[in-house]
Amino acid sequence: MKFKSTISTVLVTGGAGYIGSHTTLLLLQAGYDVVVLDNFVNSKPEALRRVAEIAAREPEIIKGDIRDSDLLDQLFRNFSIFAVIHFAGLKAVGESVTNPLTYYENNVCGTVSLLQAMTRANVTRIVFSSSATVYGDPASVPIREDFPLKATNPYGATKLYIEEILRDIYRSEPHWRIAILRYFNPAGAHDSGMIGEDPCGVPNNLIPYIAQVAVGKLSELSIFGSDYDTHDGTGVRDYIHVMDLAEGHLAALNALETLSLITCNLGTGIGYSVLDMVNTFSEVSGKPIPYRISNRRLGDISQCYTDPTHARNTLNWKAGRGLTQICGDHWRWQLKNPNGYKLE
Ligand code: NAD
Ligand code: UDP
């Protein structure tokens, strides 16, 4: 570990992952020094090598686990970290149902370990990756931050519990500065096509699945239900470009200069159906996307999109990139990297 002392060093946990790598890039480009802590359980060091290539600056990379208290203490001793952006966590809903303890251990215990180390080091500024899943099946859309919270699976429960822990910390230690960001559906990639989402095995999420059908790796998409109460019967979501999301994190860091406890939805405010996504991706890529309608997926909700007003007012931020750019950038990444970060 090299020693550095600067007032603008940000610790990014999970910084090698999909959203973390794009945010690390923007932080470097904005002039922050970045320390990434990642155990690479769901990512590859190659992502950060490419981030450094695009930024022409390197983050400090520490391979390790947020549950390793000694490592965290060493890290906070060796770097003058002023804020933490906390992405590290497991995120597969289905896996969380099968292995709930693994999720509580990694996500909740991991976050407690991180928060304890921050307390010991007197670092009291954190931006946390929450999710729209904390709203469960909302009674109406668009979703506002004051809607009731409810977890419908262990993954969602970990996000909800961590949010509660952060709110409790703030109640007892009001000098903490905490931003809770509830992401809607991240998609797309950096426009260089050098970094993007690299799911292990067959993707669970819609856009990476469609991209792999378009590139010929998968034969057809299953559309999970066409009898929802939406404009064409398929499920509606709020797809947000990963670069807009990354910018939201820099906006949150900025907002924490003056605000203490922020809770914001990060989405576009526009809902698109599965068929909208299939059609746009097909147009942008020039490839057919064969699909068939299958049964609804257990636990899926009909519609989910945000009311973006609070984020706009609080963070002075809004998602500017549209569906065509999301699909176009995702397609460029997929075409240039058919095997993700796996080096041939
Ligand atoms: P990702 O899996 O690509 O990135 C997470 C990173 O955390 C990975 O690099 C992984 O190796 C690392 N990690 C996991 N456990 C760790 C541990 N114990 N110690 C150190 N590193 C660890 O996921 P992502 O899509 O970039 O998501 C980032 C965060 O945003 C996650 O917390 C996720 O739950 C949340 N989120 C994601 C989405 C989404 O759809 N992608 C939506 C809402 C919220
Ligand atoms: N979906 C689908 N086929 C797939 C994957 C997803 O029809 O192979 C649908 C899913 O039912 C939902 C939307 O696409 O309506 C987004 O699903 P995703 O898993 O990407 O995100 P989430 O369910 O977390 O919102």
Side-chain angles (χ1 to χ4, degrees):
M1 244 184 236
K2 271 187 282 165
F3 179 79
K4 267 210 196 119
S5 179
T6 135
I7 51 154
S8 58
T9 303
V10 180
L11 170 63
V12 181
T13 72
Y18 174 42
I19 306 166
S21 55
H22 290 78
T23 305
T24 295
L25 171 60
L26 276 192
L27 287 166
L28 290 170
Q29 288 176 329
Y32 290 98
D33 289 323
V34 181
V35 179
V36 168
L37 174 65
D38 202 304
N39 64 5
F40 299 108
V41 69
N42 196 37
S43 56
K44 302 211 174 57
E46 174 64 10
L48 292 171
R49 196 199 61 70
R50 296 189 189 183
V51 164
E53 192 181 327
I54 304 168
R57 287 188 66 206
E58 290 189 9
E60 200 72 43
I61 302 167
I62 313 291
K63 181 176 179 193
D65 200 293
I66 52 169
R67 291 165 293 180
D68 183 342
S69 304
D70 292 340
L71 175 68
L72 288 172
D73 286 342
Q74 197 191 345
L75 199 152
F76 282 113
R77 260 198 315 274
N78 288 353
F79 299 95
S80 290
I81 289 160
F82 93 104
V84 177
I85 304 186
H86 177 34
F87 293 107
L90 300 174
K91 62 167 184 178
V93 172
E95 191 182 61
S96 82
V97 175
T98 322
N99 301 316
L101 287 178
T102 307
Y103 272 67
Y104 289 120
E105 217 309 283
N106 192 79
N107 294 5
V108 182
C109 300
T111 302
V112 169
S113 151
L114 174 69
L115 293 167
Q116 286 171 327
M118 288 175 66
T119 305
R120 286 192 294 273
N122 201 22
V123 175
T124 55
R125 205 173 278 224
I126 185 166
V127 177
F128 170 61
S129 304
S130 188
S131 165
T133 191
V134 298
Y135 297 110
D137 191 353
S140 64
V141 281
I143 300 172
R144 282 195 324 268
E145 286 78 356
D146 59 358
F147 275 28
L149 304 178
K150 182 176 184 295
T152 53
N153 56 65
Y155 166 72
T158 69
K159 293 296 177 193
L160 203 48
Y161 297 155
I162 294 167
E163 283 201 9
E164 292 297 350
I165 291 168
L166 290 170
R167 284 188 279 271
D168 283 341
I169 290 179
Y170 181 70
R171 270 190 280 273
S172 76
E173 310 268 351
H175 63 279
W176 274 64
R177 298 199 169 199
I178 298 171
I180 294 170
L181 304 181
R182 297 176 179 152
Y183 313 155
F184 281 63
N185 289 58
H190 186 258
D191 62 9
S192 62
M194 287 173 66
I195 56 171
E197 185 172 14
D198 183 17
C200 289
V202 177
N204 291 313
N205 293 116
L206 180 66
I207 310 276
Y209 201 105
I210 291 180
Q212 293 200 9
V213 172
V215 86
K217 280 181 81 173
L218 296 168
S219 59
E220 66 173 10
L221 171 73
S222 290
I223 295 185
F224 301 143
S226 60
D227 56 351
Y228 285 108
D229 184 18
T230 62
H231 63 270
D232 60 20
T234 65
V236 163
R237 297 290 183 275
D238 185 337
Y239 297 92
I240 172 170
H241 196 294
V242 66
M243 291 304 294
D244 280 327
L245 199 55
E247 286 167 11
H249 289 74
L250 272 74
L253 269 188
N254 216 26
L256 286 180
E257 291 296 325
T258 50
L259 301 173
S260 300
L261 179 63
I262 296 170
T263 305
C264 281
N265 291 344
L266 297 190
T268 63
I270 305 170
Y272 289 107
S273 72
V274 178
L275 281 172
D276 292 333
M277 300 310 290
V278 168
N279 293 334
T280 308
F281 207 97
S282 181
E283 266 166 40
V284 164
S285 63
K287 303 281 180 193
I289 316 284
Y291 66 82
R292 73 186 161 81
I293 306 292
S294 63
N295 292 335
R296 289 183 177 194
R297 183 171 62 180
L298 206 67
D300 270 359
I301 59 176
S302 163
Q303 307 197 59
C304 179
Y305 55 90
T306 187
D307 177 341
T309 314
H310 182 64
R312 196 163 54 226
N313 294 341
T314 311
L315 306 178
N316 192 23
W317 166 93
K318 81 189 230 309
R321 296 165 178 88
L323 197 56
T324 308
Q325 189 168 354
I326 290 177
C327 294
D329 288 341
H330 206 108
W331 178 234
R332 186 177 308 106
W333 153 254
Q334 178 71 63
L335 265 186
K336 283 179 112 170
N337 306 273
N339 298 313
Y341 289 116
K342 203 156 117 207
L343 301 172
E344 300 310 322

PDB file of all heavy atoms in Angstrom, residues 225-250:
ATOM      1  N   GLY A 225     -44.005 -12.607 -19.141  1.00  0.00           N
ATOM      2  CA  GLY A 225     -45.379 -12.137 -18.957  1.00  0.00           C
ATOM      3  C   GLY A 225     -45.762 -11.045 -19.939  1.00  0.00           C
ATOM      4  O   GLY A 225     -44.982 -10.119 -20.193  1.00  0.00           O
ATOM      5  N   SER A 226     -46.974 -11.195 -20.518  1.00  0.00           N
ATOM      6  CA  SER A 226     -47.478 -10.153 -21.428  1.00  0.00           C
ATOM      7  C   SER A 226     -48.887  -9.738 -21.008  1.00  0.00           C
ATOM      8  O   SER A 226     -49.635  -9.182 -21.798  1.00  0.00           O
ATOM      9  CB  SER A 226     -47.487 -10.666 -22.866  1.00  0.00           C
ATOM     10  OG  SER A 226     -48.323 -11.791 -22.960  1.00  0.00           O
ATOM     11  N   ASP A 227     -49.221 -10.067 -19.727  1.00  0.00           N
ATOM     12  CA  ASP A 227     -50.574  -9.750 -19.249  1.00  0.00           C
ATOM     13  C   ASP A 227     -50.548  -8.764 -18.081  1.00  0.00           C
ATOM     14  O   ASP A 227     -51.451  -8.748 -17.243  1.00  0.00           O
ATOM     15  CB  ASP A 227     -51.293 -11.045 -18.837  1.00  0.00           C
ATOM     16  CG  ASP A 227     -50.513 -11.835 -17.789  1.00  0.00           C
ATOM     17  OD1 ASP A 227     -49.350 -11.469 -17.505  1.00  0.00           O
ATOM     18  OD2 ASP A 227     -51.070 -12.818 -17.257  1.00  0.00           O
ATOM     19  N   TYR A 228     -49.475  -7.961 -18.017  1.00  0.00           N
ATOM     20  CA  TYR A 228     -49.445  -6.912 -16.993  1.00  0.00           C
ATOM     21  C   TYR A 228     -50.317  -5.742 -17.426  1.00  0.00           C
ATOM     22  O   TYR A 228     -50.585  -5.556 -18.627  1.00  0.00           O
ATOM     23  CB  TYR A 228     -48.005  -6.418 -16.779  1.00  0.00           C
ATOM     24  CG  TYR A 228     -47.132  -7.376 -16.008  1.00  0.00           C
ATOM     25  CD1 TYR A 228     -46.113  -8.090 -16.650  1.00  0.00           C
ATOM     26  CD2 TYR A 228     -47.303  -7.559 -14.648  1.00  0.00           C
ATOM     27  CE1 TYR A 228     -45.300  -8.963 -15.949  1.00  0.00           C
ATOM     28  CE2 TYR A 228     -46.488  -8.436 -13.926  1.00  0.00           C
ATOM     29  CZ  TYR A 228     -45.492  -9.129 -14.585  1.00  0.00           C
ATOM     30  OH  TYR A 228     -44.695  -9.988 -13.883  1.00  0.00           O
ATOM     31  N   ASP A 229     -50.703  -4.944 -16.434  1.00  0.00           N
ATOM     32  CA  ASP A 229     -51.528  -3.777 -16.721  1.00  0.00           C
ATOM     33  C   ASP A 229     -50.624  -2.607 -17.160  1.00  0.00           C
ATOM     34  O   ASP A 229     -50.438  -1.633 -16.444  1.00  0.00           O
ATOM     35  CB  ASP A 229     -52.320  -3.426 -15.448  1.00  0.00           C
ATOM     36  CG  ASP A 229     -53.276  -2.275 -15.701  1.00  0.00           C
ATOM     37  OD1 ASP A 229     -53.568  -2.008 -16.887  1.00  0.00           O
ATOM     38  OD2 ASP A 229     -53.708  -1.649 -14.711  1.00  0.00           O
ATOM     39  N   THR A 230     -50.017  -2.766 -18.350  1.00  0.00           N
ATOM     40  CA  THR A 230     -49.109  -1.739 -18.890  1.00  0.00           C
ATOM     41  C   THR A 230     -49.502  -1.477 -20.347  1.00  0.00           C
ATOM     42  O   THR A 230     -50.383  -2.180 -20.867  1.00  0.00           O
ATOM     43  CB  THR A 230     -47.644  -2.219 -18.857  1.00  0.00           C
ATOM     44  OG1 THR A 230     -47.532  -3.388 -19.684  1.00  0.00           O
ATOM     45  CG2 THR A 230     -47.190  -2.553 -17.438  1.00  0.00           C
ATOM     46  N   HIS A 231     -48.839  -0.536 -21.023  1.00  0.00           N
ATOM     47  CA  HIS A 231     -49.316  -0.160 -22.360  1.00  0.00           C
ATOM     48  C   HIS A 231     -49.278  -1.299 -23.368  1.00  0.00           C
ATOM     49  O   HIS A 231     -50.055  -1.315 -24.308  1.00  0.00           O
ATOM     50  CB  HIS A 231     -48.606   1.098 -22.890  1.00  0.00           C
ATOM     51  CG  HIS A 231     -47.121   0.940 -23.081  1.00  0.00           C
ATOM     52  ND1 HIS A 231     -46.206   1.218 -22.099  1.00  0.00           N
ATOM     53  CD2 HIS A 231     -46.400   0.557 -24.162  1.00  0.00           C
ATOM     54  CE1 HIS A 231     -44.985   1.015 -22.565  1.00  0.00           C
ATOM     55  NE2 HIS A 231     -45.068   0.620 -23.809  1.00  0.00           N
ATOM     56  N   ASP A 232     -48.359  -2.276 -23.208  1.00  0.00           N
ATOM     57  CA  ASP A 232     -48.370  -3.411 -24.138  1.00  0.00           C
ATOM     58  C   ASP A 232     -48.411  -4.760 -23.416  1.00  0.00           C
ATOM     59  O   ASP A 232     -48.188  -5.806 -24.035  1.00  0.00           O
ATOM     60  CB  ASP A 232     -47.162  -3.340 -25.085  1.00  0.00           C
ATOM     61  CG  ASP A 232     -45.834  -3.368 -24.333  1.00  0.00           C
ATOM     62  OD1 ASP A 232     -45.801  -3.800 -23.170  1.00  0.00           O
ATOM     63  OD2 ASP A 232     -44.817  -2.955 -24.930  1.00  0.00           O
ATOM     64  N   GLY A 233     -48.632  -4.720 -22.106  1.00  0.00           N
ATOM     65  CA  GLY A 233     -48.784  -5.966 -21.342  1.00  0.00           C
ATOM     66  C   GLY A 233     -47.479  -6.481 -20.739  1.00  0.00           C
ATOM     67  O   GLY A 233     -47.499  -7.368 -19.889  1.00  0.00           O
ATOM     68  N   THR A 234     -46.325  -5.947 -21.197  1.00  0.00           N
ATOM     69  CA  THR A 234     -45.052  -6.422 -20.627  1.00  0.00           C
ATOM     70  C   THR A 234     -44.588  -5.452 -19.534  1.00  0.00           C
ATOM     71  O   THR A 234     -45.026  -4.296 -19.487  1.00  0.00           O
ATOM     72  CB  THR A 234     -43.967  -6.591 -21.723  1.00  0.00           C
ATOM     73  OG1 THR A 234     -43.649  -5.311 -22.294  1.00  0.00           O
ATOM     74  CG2 THR A 234     -44.451  -7.522 -22.837  1.00  0.00           C
ATOM     75  N   GLY A 235     -43.701  -5.933 -18.662  1.00  0.00           N
ATOM     76  CA  GLY A 235     -43.291  -5.182 -17.476  1.00  0.00           C
ATOM     77  C   GLY A 235     -42.601  -3.865 -17.825  1.00  0.00           C
ATOM     78  O   GLY A 235     -41.853  -3.786 -18.806  1.00  0.00           O
ATOM     79  N   VAL A 236     -42.846  -2.854 -17.018  1.00  0.00           N
ATOM     80  CA  VAL A 236     -42.299  -1.513 -17.276  1.00  0.00           C
ATOM     81  C   VAL A 236     -41.274  -1.157 -16.200  1.00  0.00           C
ATOM     82  O   VAL A 236     -41.523  -1.322 -15.011  1.00  0.00           O
ATOM     83  CB  VAL A 236     -43.450  -0.482 -17.326  1.00  0.00           C
ATOM     84  CG1 VAL A 236     -42.928   0.948 -17.171  1.00  0.00           C
ATOM     85  CG2 VAL A 236     -44.219  -0.611 -18.638  1.00  0.00           C
ATOM     86  N   ARG A 237     -40.103  -0.657 -16.654  1.00  0.00           N
ATOM     87  CA  ARG A 237     -39.037  -0.258 -15.739  1.00  0.00           C
ATOM     88  C   ARG A 237     -38.443   1.083 -16.173  1.00  0.00           C
ATOM     89  O   ARG A 237     -38.611   1.520 -17.316  1.00  0.00           O
ATOM     90  CB  ARG A 237     -37.901  -1.296 -15.750  1.00  0.00           C
ATOM     91  CG  ARG A 237     -38.284  -2.680 -15.257  1.00  0.00           C
ATOM     92  CD  ARG A 237     -38.540  -2.712 -13.759  1.00  0.00           C
ATOM     93  NE  ARG A 237     -38.836  -4.053 -13.293  1.00  0.00           N
ATOM     94  CZ  ARG A 237     -40.045  -4.622 -13.310  1.00  0.00           C
ATOM     95  NH1 ARG A 237     -41.093  -3.960 -13.803  1.00  0.00           N
ATOM     96  NH2 ARG A 237     -40.220  -5.840 -12.851  1.00  0.00           N
ATOM     97  N   ASP A 238     -37.661   1.651 -15.255  1.00  0.00           N
ATOM     98  CA  ASP A 238     -36.994   2.944 -15.472  1.00  0.00           C
ATOM     99  C   ASP A 238     -35.506   2.658 -15.704  1.00  0.00           C
ATOM    100  O   ASP A 238     -34.748   2.455 -14.755  1.00  0.00           O
ATOM    101  CB  ASP A 238     -37.222   3.778 -14.197  1.00  0.00           C
ATOM    102  CG  ASP A 238     -36.699   5.191 -14.300  1.00  0.00           C
ATOM    103  OD1 ASP A 238     -35.806   5.442 -15.131  1.00  0.00           O
ATOM    104  OD2 ASP A 238     -37.173   6.034 -13.524  1.00  0.00           O
ATOM    105  N   TYR A 239     -35.107   2.592 -16.981  1.00  0.00           N
ATOM    106  CA  TYR A 239     -33.726   2.256 -17.321  1.00  0.00           C
ATOM    107  C   TYR A 239     -32.886   3.520 -17.318  1.00  0.00           C
ATOM    108  O   TYR A 239     -33.193   4.474 -18.040  1.00  0.00           O
ATOM    109  CB  TYR A 239     -33.663   1.555 -18.686  1.00  0.00           C
ATOM    110  CG  TYR A 239     -34.416   0.240 -18.666  1.00  0.00           C
ATOM    111  CD1 TYR A 239     -35.765   0.176 -19.027  1.00  0.00           C
ATOM    112  CD2 TYR A 239     -33.800  -0.928 -18.207  1.00  0.00           C
ATOM    113  CE1 TYR A 239     -36.466  -1.015 -18.959  1.00  0.00           C
ATOM    114  CE2 TYR A 239     -34.508  -2.125 -18.136  1.00  0.00           C
ATOM    115  CZ  TYR A 239     -35.830  -2.155 -18.518  1.00  0.00           C
ATOM    116  OH  TYR A 239     -36.528  -3.342 -18.435  1.00  0.00           O
ATOM    117  N   ILE A 240     -31.830   3.510 -16.500  1.00  0.00           N
ATOM    118  CA  ILE A 240     -30.985   4.703 -16.384  1.00  0.00           C
ATOM    119  C   ILE A 240     -29.575   4.368 -16.868  1.00  0.00           C
ATOM    120  O   ILE A 240     -29.017   3.319 -16.515  1.00  0.00           O
ATOM    121  CB  ILE A 240     -30.984   5.249 -14.927  1.00  0.00           C
ATOM    122  CG1 ILE A 240     -29.948   6.373 -14.775  1.00  0.00           C
ATOM    123  CG2 ILE A 240     -30.745   4.167 -13.879  1.00  0.00           C
ATOM    124  CD1 ILE A 240     -30.038   7.139 -13.464  1.00  0.00           C
ATOM    125  N   HIS A 241     -29.029   5.263 -17.700  1.00  0.00           N
ATOM    126  CA  HIS A 241     -27.676   5.044 -18.228  1.00  0.00           C
ATOM    127  C   HIS A 241     -26.675   5.042 -17.084  1.00  0.00           C
ATOM    128  O   HIS A 241     -26.713   5.900 -16.201  1.00  0.00           O
ATOM    129  CB  HIS A 241     -27.342   6.162 -19.223  1.00  0.00           C
ATOM    130  CG  HIS A 241     -26.170   5.837 -20.107  1.00  0.00           C
ATOM    131  ND1 HIS A 241     -24.891   5.698 -19.621  1.00  0.00           N
ATOM    132  CD2 HIS A 241     -26.088   5.612 -21.447  1.00  0.00           C
ATOM    133  CE1 HIS A 241     -24.065   5.410 -20.634  1.00  0.00           C
ATOM    134  NE2 HIS A 241     -24.779   5.346 -21.747  1.00  0.00           N
ATOM    135  N   VAL A 242     -25.754   4.074 -17.136  1.00  0.00           N
ATOM    136  CA  VAL A 242     -24.801   3.911 -16.031  1.00  0.00           C
ATOM    137  C   VAL A 242     -23.931   5.162 -15.844  1.00  0.00           C
ATOM    138  O   VAL A 242     -23.504   5.466 -14.720  1.00  0.00           O
ATOM    139  CB  VAL A 242     -23.951   2.624 -16.228  1.00  0.00           C
ATOM    140  CG1 VAL A 242     -23.040   2.722 -17.447  1.00  0.00           C
ATOM    141  CG2 VAL A 242     -23.152   2.274 -14.979  1.00  0.00           C
ATOM    142  N   MET A 243     -23.707   5.933 -16.925  1.00  0.00           N
ATOM    143  CA  MET A 243     -22.910   7.163 -16.765  1.00  0.00           C
ATOM    144  C   MET A 243     -23.720   8.248 -16.056  1.00  0.00           C
ATOM    145  O   MET A 243     -23.179   9.043 -15.291  1.00  0.00           O
ATOM    146  CB  MET A 243     -22.402   7.673 -18.123  1.00  0.00           C
ATOM    147  CG  MET A 243     -21.353   6.777 -18.763  1.00  0.00           C
ATOM    148  SD  MET A 243     -19.898   6.481 -17.720  1.00  0.00           S
ATOM    149  CE  MET A 243     -19.195   8.120 -17.631  1.00  0.00           C
ATOM    150  N   ASP A 244     -25.034   8.284 -16.313  1.00  0.00           N
ATOM    151  CA  ASP A 244     -25.894   9.206 -15.552  1.00  0.00           C
ATOM    152  C   ASP A 244     -25.867   8.830 -14.066  1.00  0.00           C
ATOM    153  O   ASP A 244     -25.798   9.690 -13.187  1.00  0.00           O
ATOM    154  CB  ASP A 244     -27.341   9.143 -16.058  1.00  0.00           C
ATOM    155  CG  ASP A 244     -27.552   9.962 -17.336  1.00  0.00           C
ATOM    156  OD1 ASP A 244     -26.875  11.002 -17.493  1.00  0.00           O
ATOM    157  OD2 ASP A 244     -28.380   9.562 -18.162  1.00  0.00           O
ATOM    158  N   LEU A 245     -25.917   7.524 -13.828  1.00  0.00           N
ATOM    159  CA  LEU A 245     -25.889   7.038 -12.442  1.00  0.00           C
ATOM    160  C   LEU A 245     -24.566   7.436 -11.779  1.00  0.00           C
ATOM    161  O   LEU A 245     -24.547   7.943 -10.642  1.00  0.00           O
ATOM    162  CB  LEU A 245     -26.034   5.511 -12.482  1.00  0.00           C
ATOM    163  CG  LEU A 245     -26.460   4.798 -11.234  1.00  0.00           C
ATOM    164  CD1 LEU A 245     -27.764   5.353 -10.701  1.00  0.00           C
ATOM    165  CD2 LEU A 245     -26.633   3.307 -11.530  1.00  0.00           C
ATOM    166  N   ALA A 246     -23.472   7.228 -12.503  1.00  0.00           N
ATOM    167  CA  ALA A 246     -22.146   7.581 -11.962  1.00  0.00           C
ATOM    168  C   ALA A 246     -22.114   9.081 -11.650  1.00  0.00           C
ATOM    169  O   ALA A 246     -21.634   9.501 -10.578  1.00  0.00           O
ATOM    170  CB  ALA A 246     -21.064   7.204 -12.965  1.00  0.00           C
ATOM    171  N   GLU A 247     -22.657   9.885 -12.550  1.00  0.00           N
ATOM    172  CA  GLU A 247     -22.691  11.340 -12.304  1.00  0.00           C
ATOM    173  C   GLU A 247     -23.522  11.663 -11.061  1.00  0.00           C
ATOM    174  O   GLU A 247     -23.203  12.589 -10.321  1.00  0.00           O
ATOM    175  CB  GLU A 247     -23.256  12.069 -13.534  1.00  0.00           C
ATOM    176  CG  GLU A 247     -22.250  12.119 -14.677  1.00  0.00           C
ATOM    177  CD  GLU A 247     -22.849  12.553 -16.031  1.00  0.00           C
ATOM    178  OE1 GLU A 247     -24.009  13.016 -16.064  1.00  0.00           O
ATOM    179  OE2 GLU A 247     -22.154  12.405 -17.038  1.00  0.00           O
ATOM    180  N   GLY A 248     -24.561  10.876 -10.831  1.00  0.00           N
ATOM    181  CA  GLY A 248     -25.391  11.057  -9.636  1.00  0.00           C
ATOM    182  C   GLY A 248     -24.566  10.907  -8.359  1.00  0.00           C
ATOM    183  O   GLY A 248     -24.831  11.572  -7.349  1.00  0.00           O
ATOM    184  N   HIS A 249     -23.557  10.028  -8.390  1.00  0.00           N
ATOM    185  CA  HIS A 249     -22.714   9.834  -7.198  1.00  0.00           C
ATOM    186  C   HIS A 249     -21.814  11.039  -6.949  1.00  0.00           C
ATOM    187  O   HIS A 249     -21.589  11.426  -5.805  1.00  0.00           O
ATOM    188  CB  HIS A 249     -21.873   8.566  -7.341  1.00  0.00           C
ATOM    189  CG  HIS A 249     -22.703   7.334  -7.245  1.00  0.00           C
ATOM    190  ND1 HIS A 249     -23.532   6.927  -8.262  1.00  0.00           N
ATOM    191  CD2 HIS A 249     -22.889   6.456  -6.238  1.00  0.00           C
ATOM    192  CE1 HIS A 249     -24.174   5.844  -7.880  1.00  0.00           C
ATOM    193  NE2 HIS A 249     -23.806   5.539  -6.660  1.00  0.00           N
ATOM    194  N   LEU A 250     -21.307  11.621  -8.027  1.00  0.00           N
ATOM    195  CA  LEU A 250     -20.491  12.830  -7.843  1.00  0.00           C
ATOM    196  C   LEU A 250     -21.366  13.982  -7.359  1.00  0.00           C
ATOM    197  O   LEU A 250     -20.961  14.780  -6.501  1.00  0.00           O
ATOM    198  CB  LEU A 250     -19.757  13.198  -9.139  1.00  0.00           C
ATOM    199  CG  LEU A 250     -18.393  12.504  -9.267  1.00  0.00           C
ATOM    200  CD1 LEU A 250     -18.534  11.035  -9.613  1.00  0.00           C
ATOM    201  CD2 LEU A 250     -17.497  13.200 -10.286  1.00  0.00           C
TER     202      LEU A 250
END
